[in-house]
Amino acid sequence: MTRNWPELDYLGWRETCSALHLYLQIAGKYRLAHTPWLNHSWNATFYVTPIGLASSPIPDGPGIEILFDLREHRVVGTCGHGSRAYFDLGPTTVAKFHASFVQLISELGGTPTFNGQPNEVPYPIPFAEDDRDRPYDREAVQRFHQALMAVDRVLNRFRTSFLGKSSPVHLFWGALDLAVTRFSGRRAPLHPAGIPALPDDVAQEAYDREVSSAGFWPGGNGIDYPAFYAYAYPAPSGYRAATVRPDAAFWHEGLSEFVLPYDAVRSAADPDADLMAFLVSTYEAAADLGGWDRALLECAHGQPRQVRPPDAALANDAPSVGGEKVEREDGASKGRYRIVVDDVEAEMTYSRAGDGLIIIDHTEVPAALRGRKIGEQLVRQAVEDARRERIAIVPLCPFAKAQIDRHPEWQDVLQQSSLDPKTVGTSDTASTSATTSPRRPS
């Protein structure tokens, strides 16, 4: 666990991190200046490799690729003519790094022209004029790379369970975050933009479709520790109040995002599982409350050498919708509804709050049962039982709430206070807010 998820002391290597951030911006802006625009700034990012961070080929001159080798601590450039050039990473100034990078591109036959102003950093100084001495902590950089490798592994596995439009797992040098984004397939309202040191048109293009996004920061951006984040744009009503996992995750009011400290994942018995729980639960909150077509967009997590069954085959093999038996296990304080199909179980759990109220707190439908409206049947059964027993329901579970919202004929069983607009409004103030932590280049 320690080897795969190293200790990251942001405050201890903050100055080196800031320097590395600016160096990546210089290389990233070069890539951005010479690469055709790809939706949501995907043409500007870096990718995690076992060696460090790579740009992929840049169509300038003979074709150039930039690698930040974080093991040998050097910037390496290669080109289509077979040439290779590099310079070492170490204590220096941003201005000297900028000059070395310009020389490297020239040696490879490229054109070292790009925007010379940093983005998404406080008090930006043009790269060529930043003469402040910067440290370089080699061990801290290596630990950061180890962490990126671990995070990249989990984010890429998370990405395999989505059939809709999804970004690659890539590092945005604007805010120095490793991110993956899922899309509902629908247009989003025009982003309000106004992000400091980021052109409005870049922010608005980045968020012109509904998204659920998650990623990792080494620190900064309003927090002084490494952390994972998750947000939705536009944030659906009730999103900030959604129950997410693991227990260490929380809603950060300043960022308007869910946050999970890196140390909570690193110290967990199974770090990969805890991070996956955060990714899945925050996505499900956005998708359920936002009314995404999950049956169309999702699939089981990918496995090596196992081809995903096509949807047509799944539809032919699936039993008729609505024919499954819903079972109920009811206790004095807690209970659950369950459906078992081909030895695969789906469940919806609830808690009792007195004699006349149940609180639906979680719904779990395995990927193998998606697309059969299993979750809808569980909620329908709870509604029918509530009517018969003359009790009310509070749907804290985002999925159950979304189902009841879609069926006005079920809403007679809701606890009346949950329908009070004043009550709803107090928990939904972020329903139209944009993310306050920009991650896009310019």
Side-chain angles (χ1 to χ4, degrees):
M1 177 176 66
T2 302
R3 179 175 59 84
N4 292 330
W5 294 88
E7 180 181 0
L8 292 179
D9 176 16
Y10 172 68
L11 294 179
W13 82 295
R14 176 169 49 187
E15 291 302 314
T16 295
C17 183
S18 174
L20 183 62
H21 184 187
L22 291 170
Y23 303 157
L24 285 162
Q25 288 213 5
I26 290 170
K29 280 177 171 280
Y30 163 69
R31 183 184 181 197
L32 181 65
H34 296 275
T35 307
W37 193 272
L38 181 62
N39 47 255
H40 318 300
S41 304
W42 294 356
N43 59 304
T45 56
F46 286 91
Y47 309 95
V48 176
T49 79
I51 301 299
L53 292 165
S55 66
S56 79
I58 298 167
D60 178 37
I64 294 173
E65 183 173 59
I66 303 299
L67 170 67
F68 278 72
D69 183 337
L70 303 183
R71 297 176 65 87
E72 297 296 329
H73 304 285
R74 56 183 49 169
V75 177
V76 182
T78 54
C79 77
H81 289 159
S83 299
R84 181 176 184 269
Y86 71 88
F87 62 91
D88 291 332
L89 288 166
T92 187
T93 69
V94 173
K96 289 179 180 178
F97 179 96
H98 178 268
S100 296
F101 184 81
V102 167
Q103 180 179 350
L104 178 142
I105 298 302
S106 298
E107 289 177 9
L108 295 173
T111 306
T113 56
F114 51 91
N115 186 301
Q117 186 82 4
N119 287 103
E120 303 182 52
V121 297
Y123 313 111
I125 300 172
F127 300 125
E129 301 174 15
D130 189 343
D131 292 316
R132 181 164 69 88
D133 288 331
R134 308 275 181 159
Y136 188 82
D137 185 335
R138 293 166 67 98
E139 292 184 0
V141 170
Q142 287 177 330
R143 288 194 298 271
F144 175 52
H145 176 236
Q146 277 187 294
L148 289 177
M149 288 282 289
V151 175
D152 184 77
R153 178 183 65 247
V154 180
L155 292 183
N156 269 297
R157 175 156 170 73
F158 170 67
R159 186 172 180 250
T160 65
S161 63
F162 197 72
L163 297 173
K165 175 181 170 182
S166 174
S167 77
V169 178
H170 46 196
L171 185 133
F172 283 104
W173 42 261
L176 196 60
D177 63 314
L178 188 66
V180 64
T181 301
R182 292 177 168 185
F183 296 78
S184 73
R186 299 189 299 243
R187 289 184 174 86
L190 185 66
H191 193 280
I195 298 169
L198 186 69
D200 288 353
D201 58 351
V202 174
Q204 291 172 339
E205 192 275 342
Y207 294 106
D208 72 343
R209 295 293 188 272
E210 288 185 348
V211 301
S212 172
S213 191
F216 167 72
W217 288 311
N221 301 292
I223 53 176
D224 289 331
Y225 52 88
F228 302 94
Y229 65 82
Y231 66 89
Y233 181 78
S237 296
Y239 179 66
R240 66 166 56 194
T243 301
V244 300
R245 303 186 302 279
D247 291 342
F250 64 95
W251 178 261
H252 193 293
E253 288 293 342
L255 298 175
S256 293
E257 300 180 345
F258 288 106
V259 168
L260 173 63
Y262 172 86
D263 282 348
V265 171
R266 178 178 179 270
S267 62
D270 188 341
D272 287 33
D274 270 31
L275 176 53
M276 185 64 75
F278 178 72
L279 298 171
V280 170
S281 63
T282 52
Y283 158 71
E284 289 181 343
D288 289 338
L289 294 172
W292 291 27
D293 189 344
R294 293 184 57 187
L296 181 67
L297 294 171
E298 298 174 23
C299 63
H301 285 292
Q303 300 292 337
R305 301 185 66 181
Q306 292 185 16
V307 179
R308 180 186 65 80
D311 281 354
L314 290 174
N316 291 336
D317 292 340
S320 59
V321 172
E324 297 81 9
K325 179 182 179 182
V326 180
E327 300 175 0
R328 182 182 184 185
E329 298 172 358
D330 189 36
S333 60
K334 294 182 179 294
R336 69 170 184 151
Y337 291 90
R338 64 191 290 265
I339 293 176
V340 179
V341 179
D342 297 331
D343 296 324
V344 179
E345 180 185 79
E347 71 168 1
M348 183 177 72
T349 61
Y350 62 87
S351 302
R352 289 193 175 276
D355 294 334
L357 181 66
I358 66 168
I359 300 172
I360 299 176
D361 44 42
H362 181 63
T363 305
E364 182 70 30
V365 179
L369 300 182
R370 300 245 170 100
R372 305 184 186 186
K373 298 191 176 181
I374 297 291
E376 181 179 334
Q377 292 179 59
L378 293 171
V379 178
R380 179 185 289 109
Q381 188 64 54
V383 169
E384 293 175 357
D385 289 350
R387 287 171 176 160
R388 185 177 61 256
E389 297 170 10
R390 298 183 182 276
I391 61 176
I393 290 176
V394 173
L396 286 186
C397 165
F399 176 82
K401 183 179 186 304
Q403 289 295 323
I404 292 175
D405 286 347
R406 291 178 198 150
H407 291 81
E409 70 277 13
W410 293 356
Q411 295 175 11
D412 59 298
V413 301
L414 291 178
Q415 185 186 43
Q416 290 305 306
S417 61
S418 69
L419 299 178
D420 185 347
K422 295 180 181 179
T423 303
V424 173
T426 60
S427 63
D428 294 344
T429 54
S431 61
T432 59
S433 67
T435 173
T436 59
S437 302
R439 300 167 182 65
R440 298 297 182 262
S442 65

